Every structure is written in C-alpha cells, then in structure tokens.
Amino acid sequence: MFALSELENDALIEIFNIGVGQAASSMSAIVNEAVHMSVPSVSFINRAEAARLLDGKSAEPAGAICGVSQHYEGAFSTEAILMFPEDKSLEIVRLMVGEAVSQKELTEMEQEAMCEIGNIILNSCVGTLANIFQRELQGSLPQYHVGTSDEILIASGSLADTVVLMLHIDFLLEKHQIHGYVAFVLDISALHDLKEQINLYIARAMGQA
Amino acid sequence: MMSRLPDAHRLHLLHSVLCAVNLGAIVLDGDRRVVLWNAWMIKHSGLGHDKVIGADFFSVCPGLRGGRVESAIQQALYNNFPSLLSQTLNKAPFALYASPVAAARNERIQQAVEVTPIAVEGAARHCLIQINDVSIAVGREKLLREQAMVLRTQTFADGLTGIANRRHFDVAIEKEHRRAKRGGTPLSLLMIDIDHFKAYNDHYGHQKGDQCLIQVAAALAAMLKRPCDLMARYGGEEFAMILPETDVEQATLMAEAIRARTQELAIPHERNHDAAQQVTVSIGIATQKVDAPADIEALIGAADRALYLAKRNGRNRTEALLPC
C-alpha cells in the first residue's frame, strides 16, 4: 500500500489545514458566525477499506451517507468527495441555514445548500493541492449523492483496490462538532507525483529549494 | 454539430441561443468587465446593453462587491474552479425582479447562481455567471415547511392548557437565541410561577387547580401580540415566556402587565398570603443584551434565579437579573 513518511504526512496535514481554514472563513462569512474546520489526520486506504471506515465500526447496519462530489482534471485527475453520515449533513445544513425543520431528508433546496458547502470545502482543498503541485486544475460543478458509502465511492468509477486519500474533517459550528470525510480518488501515478511534490514543498518550507 | 456553418453565422446563432435561454447569463472577461448580458438579464434587471457592456461588473452591481459572488468570480478567473451559490445560503444576491410591480415592492427573484470559468483562446480566462429563477421551488418548500409546522404544533401543545409545551419551548428558545445572536438583537425570557399553588391544590382540589392553570394560561397567552412571542407551560404551575427583540425595560413592563392581569382575574385563593386572597404570580426576568450574548442555559438560569428572588422578596412581584 502507498504510504508517506511521518514528515510527509505532517506536511500534507498542514497543507490541508490551510485549505479548510479558508473554507471555514468563507462559511463564517455566509452565516455570520464562527465556523471552525480542521483536518486532524489523513490516510491512504483502498476504496473497500474507505467504505468500511465511513460505515463506522459498529455491527449495526450503517445509515445512509450523503456526499457532494466534484471531478477535477489537469495535471492529474481526481474525484473529490465530501461525505457525512446523512443525519450529520442534515445537522450541518440546518445549522448553516439557522432553521430547525423536522424532515428526515434534505429538501431540494437544502441539497443545493449542501452542494454549496461541499463546493466551498472541495475547492479549498483541491486549490491547496493544486498549489503544492504548482499546477492548475479545472473542476466540474458539485453533485449531490445519497446512498451507501460504497455506492458513493463507486459513482466515481473507481475499482475496489483504487487508493483513496482520506481526510478526516472536524467541523465546529455553534458548539456542534461534526466529523466528516473528504476522499480523493487518485490514480497511482498521481499518488507518486503527490509524494514528490510534498517533498518539494517540505524542501521549500525548510528553505532548501 | 455546428461545424458546417460559416463562422460568422455560427457566432450569430450562438448569440441568439444565449439570448433566448430562460436563465440569466453574464460573461465577464479577465478584468471583470461585462462582455455578455443576455436578454433575460435585461428584462429582469432593467439594465440595457448601453449601461452594462464593457463596464466593470462591480460598478454595474455594486451590491455584490466583497460578497460570495465576488469570491466565486475570483475562484473562476484566478483558480479555474466553478462555484455554486445556493438560494438557501445566499438570499437573492442580484437585484432582479419578475416584474415592475415586484420591483416596486422590492421582491427579488429567488436565485440559484453558478459561476464557471471559460477558457478563451488568446485572452485571459473569462467566466460565465448563470442565474436560475428558483422562486417556484422556494415557494413550494415554504408551503411544505408551514404544513410541517402545523403538524408539529399539534404535538407541541400542552395537553391541559393548550398553550405550547416544554418541548415547544426548548425548540423555540434555541431558534430565538440563534436569531438574536445573528441579528444582534436583545432577547428576554420571563419565568412566571403561580404563588402558593400547592396550597391552592390542597385547599380546592386538583380539578380546581387545573381550572386555575387553564384560566391563567389563557389570559396570559392572550397578552402576546407578536407572532414571534411564545408562552409555554414550563412545568407544573410554572410558565415561560420568550420575548425576542425585547430589552430589559420592555420585558419589565410586560412582566408588570402580566402580574396585574393575573390579579384582574380575581381567582379566589384563601390560602394565599396576599391581602386580597386571590391568585397572584411571581415573575423572574432575564435579558440577553446585544453586546453580551450568553448561552441558553445561562439565560434560563438567570430567569430562574430572578424568579426565586421574587418569591423570596414577598411574591406577587417581578425581579430582573442579567445572565452570567
């Protein structure tokens, strides 16, 4: 399995934290309230493992996952997917909108709001990725999905052993802490490219390049 | 598909299509100058080509400077990323109206906006702003939400008195607290307790006790004039009143009015220490000030302590405290 050294891993976490920090400030501006987001860890796992991680460790059948995906291509191509358990996505949207509605599913307008939230987070994360690659990428508009984690990850057209770069995202709004994930489905050449670019980033950060 | 058409003809056709589509389309060049503004935009903005083409976008739409639309344009022009601005999180950013009548009433079209980068050969990247009219969908959801609210109020009513129950209070205080914080408005909470109610029950029996609760609840709830005010049965003989956009002076006036109204009911209460031997209430007032937002627990705690103070200071009176 593809792996990063501890230093590379820390550098990548730092990079993504810059990205989600920008996303959090955009979201704060929308709701006029403090929104905090952080990426406590990243991991490289295959798609099947990613699905298991999303479904949680409990033996109970997992609830639906809500996802917002965008396709990016250019120097490399990736499918970026923001995922939350469906009940958490309801919580986020309703916290952002500031309304309490009792429906168990997101309405059409709320799905669109969720897409906007995903769009902000994904653009920030991919923007920082593109930044370290020092390349430009182009992206599609966000799409909303509900289903099992596997269904959402399969929608990207990847194979079960495709490597997924998983970011754990902590989202804090009004005392509510919500955990979610951003998955980047990357092909193997993009992964090696990523490792190389992280090392260039580290070298630049240390003033050696 | 159009490759067989001569270039000039093709361009003309593309232009006509863009003008005919039933959504707003604006194209900006790399310097954020308007290069395309379709017929839909002219119709709903009231701004013709002479006013917009070639002009700086933010001088045409100054209200959009510094907001989400500007950051979406930046994302498209400089980072090559598309953005989506939902109606729910962005309340109608563009000044667009369905008709002159709607414009006079300042009722904007409900909008869902997409901003996408456009690569242009031999020039800096442009961007396309698409604006969809989602007014119908918004109206539909509003109706749905209202129906859900009606259904919910049926499960949110107190079985005895018919006013809001504790569950309703919990939801409402949460909502109003957030609204006050976001809107920068004060929020007051009254805790109202019938004096010596246990003695009333013991003396007159539970049926009379229930009637007393019903009568007091109905009289006090009828004093609320604004739809955002809420009176709930908080527990036993205790009622809570949520008064949004109400400062401590206004809340005190309201509390005094409630105290006086209860006396007016002239419900006999032989076991009350009050001289008139009628049912009276004690009221605790807590107000969250605009410049010192407190959490909900602190607000309820302050109202509770103020009520305790009113009881200790002799009942049939009001006391106010600040949350801390």
Side-chain angles (χ1 to χ4, degrees), chain B residues 182-232:
Chain B
R182 285 191 183 178
T185 51
L187 171 67
S188 289
L189 176 66
L190 308 185
M191 283 289 180
I192 307 159
D193 193 88
I194 300 178
D195 295 324
H196 294 297
F197 188 70
K198 190 179 175 306
Y200 186 95
N201 257 340
D202 292 345
H203 187 71
Y204 295 99
H206 280 102
Q207 270 182 323
K208 277 278 197 182
D210 285 353
Q211 272 175 18
C212 171
L213 285 172
I214 294 168
Q215 206 182 342
V216 172
L220 303 192
M223 296 174 71
L224 297 179
K225 296 285 178 271
R226 302 179 304 173
C228 58
D229 295 335
L230 181 90
M231 172 159 156

Side-chain angles (χ1 to χ4, degrees), chain A residues 30-33 72 95-99 101 107-109 112-113 115-116 119-120 123 126-127 136-141 174-175, chain B residues 68 75 78-90 112 114 116 125 134 137-138 140-141 144-145 178 181-182 295 297:
Chain A
I30 295 175
V31 298
N32 200 12
E33 246 181 78
Y72 293 88
L95 279 171
M96 291 282 291
V97 177
E99 259 174 70
V101 188
T107 66
E108 205 181 311
M109 306 307 289
E112 198 194 58
C115 276
E116 178 171 0
N119 181 232
I120 292 170
N123 275 353
V126 177
E136 203 176 69
L137 293 175
Q138 58 202 37
S140 67
L141 279 160
E174 265 289 293
K175 282 193 261 168
Chain B
R68 271 283 287 153
Q75 278 280 15
Y78 307 118
N79 296 334
N80 206 18
F81 289 151
S83 295
L84 173 90
L85 279 68
S86 63
Q87 179 276 333
T88 316
L89 296 179
N90 305 270
E114 287 170 6
T116 39
R125 187 158 44 226
V134 291
V138 171
R140 193 170 56 219
E141 290 208 357
L144 212 72
R145 194 164 294 140
R178 292 175 63 75
K181 229 172 104 178
R182 285 191 183 178
D295 57 25
E297 293 74 30

Side-chain angles (χ1 to χ4, degrees), chain B residues 20-95:
Chain B
V21 290
N22 190 25
L23 55 81
I26 306 167
V27 175
L28 307 184
D29 68 12
D31 295 321
R32 316 198 300 188
R33 277 190 302 258
V34 179
V35 296
L36 186 140
W37 184 271
N38 76 347
W40 191 94
M41 284 304 298
I42 296 174
K43 181 176 166 203
H44 296 293
S45 70
L47 298 169
H49 280 158
D50 53 324
K51 291 213 178 59
V52 297
I53 297 296
D56 174 66
F57 175 69
F58 291 98
S59 66
V60 175
C61 307
L64 298 176
R65 205 185 289 274
R68 271 283 287 153
V69 174
E70 182 170 10
S71 60
I73 290 170
Q74 301 274 96
Q75 278 280 15
L77 290 180
Y78 307 118
N79 296 334
N80 206 18
F81 289 151
S83 295
L84 173 90
L85 279 68
S86 63
Q87 179 276 333
T88 316
L89 296 179
N90 305 270
K91 300 292 180 214
F94 288 84

Side-chain angles (χ1 to χ4, degrees), chain A residues 16-189:
Chain A
F16 280 123
N17 271 302
I18 298 169
V20 297
Q22 288 164 355
S25 69
S26 308
M27 300 209 302
S28 288
I30 295 175
V31 298
N32 200 12
E33 246 181 78
V35 176
H36 297 285
M37 275 170 63
S38 61
V39 177
S41 65
V42 300
S43 51
F44 290 90
I45 48 184
N46 68 37
R47 205 200 68 206
E49 280 177 279
R52 273 199 297 279
L53 180 70
L54 283 162
D55 290 338
K57 292 173 186 73
S58 67
E60 292 165 39
I65 300 282
C66 148
V68 177
S69 70
Q70 279 184 255
H71 184 78
Y72 293 88
E73 56 185 35
F76 59 92
S77 71
T78 182
E79 190 75 21
I81 317 164
L82 171 72
M83 286 174 284
F84 287 104
E86 198 184 15
D87 53 335
K88 295 296 174 195
S89 66
L90 291 172
E91 203 177 328
I92 290 187
V93 169
R94 285 168 191 164
L95 279 171
M96 291 282 291
V97 177
E99 259 174 70
V101 188
S102 55
Q103 270 98 348
K104 289 192 177 61
E105 283 171 24
L106 288 181
T107 66
E108 205 181 311
M109 306 307 289
E110 287 173 326
Q111 288 181 15
E112 198 194 58
M114 190 65 210
C115 276
E116 178 171 0
I117 295 167
N119 181 232
I120 292 170
I121 296 174
L122 296 175
N123 275 353
S124 301
C125 288
V126 177
T128 44
L129 258 189
N131 231 339
I132 54 165
F133 275 72
Q134 297 185 295
R135 306 256 179 82
E136 203 176 69
L137 293 175
Q138 58 202 37
S140 67
L141 279 160
Q143 254 193 311
Y144 180 81
H145 314 264
V146 183
T148 65
S149 51
D150 223 23
E151 280 165 357
I152 291 173
L153 288 163
I154 285 172
S156 62
S158 60
L159 302 166
D161 59 356
T162 307
V163 174
V164 176
L165 163 55
M166 281 287 244
L167 317 186
H168 299 236
I169 290 204
D170 281 345
F171 184 102
L172 190 74
L173 198 160
E174 265 289 293
K175 282 193 261 168
H176 296 256
Q177 187 164 24
I178 295 162
H179 304 285
Y181 296 91
V182 172
F184 290 103
V185 183
L186 293 158
D187 65 32
I188 203 74
S189 67

